[in-house]
Amino acid sequence: MHIKFTEWAKTYGEIYSLKLVNGTATVLNSLDAVGHVLERQSNLTSNRPPSSIARMVAGDLHFPTLNPGPQWNSCNRAAKVVLSPSAVERNKPIIEAEISQLLFDFLREPQ
């Protein structure tokens, strides 16, 4: 598939779009193209597509798939507090105990 994308990039340029059954996909064929989109057009590309699986698991609080807005801002503030270097260091014994328990559970019941 990447060979065809590269071929099309020679014809249409480093950034082009494809019409798909359920929407449009934008193809970026170089690091410069990715940088251009991420740095100069982030206001247009920061939304994430909906994830029905994430919604089933976490409801509307699946942070990686939230779009910018009040809910994302709230989750982002909470994540910065919980994942700050000082919080991680403070909770290191608990984190290590949970990791040990998880690995033990995997060994005991691999399914």
Side-chain angles (χ1 to χ4, degrees), residues 2-109:
H2 70 281
I3 295 170
K4 194 63 170 175
F5 287 164
T6 303
E7 180 184 316
W8 289 340
K10 291 175 184 171
T11 303
Y12 302 111
E14 293 181 339
I15 301 173
Y16 59 90
S17 61
L18 302 171
K19 295 293 182 188
L20 303 174
V21 175
N22 59 346
T24 303
T26 301
V27 181
L28 309 172
N29 272 296
S30 72
L31 289 176
D32 288 339
V34 172
H36 173 77
V37 170
L38 292 179
E39 292 174 14
R40 296 186 191 98
Q41 297 183 1
S42 63
N43 61 326
L44 301 174
T45 60
S46 62
N47 285 347
R48 294 158 184 89
S51 171
S52 55
I53 293 173
R55 185 164 287 123
M56 284 185 336
V57 172
D60 290 331
L61 291 176
H62 188 250
F63 183 46
T65 60
L66 284 176
N67 288 315
Q71 202 170 27
W72 184 90
N73 292 338
S74 179
C75 286
N76 189 44
R77 278 192 301 275
K80 284 181 179 178
V81 170
V82 173
L83 300 174
S84 72
S86 61
V88 170
E89 191 60 39
R90 186 174 55 251
N91 294 310
K92 196 171 185 178
I94 297 168
I95 294 168
E96 289 175 348
E98 289 294 332
I99 291 169
S100 296
Q101 183 65 51
L102 178 65
L103 293 174
F104 178 77
D105 291 345
F106 282 156
L107 286 172
R108 194 177 60 207
E109 294 182 40

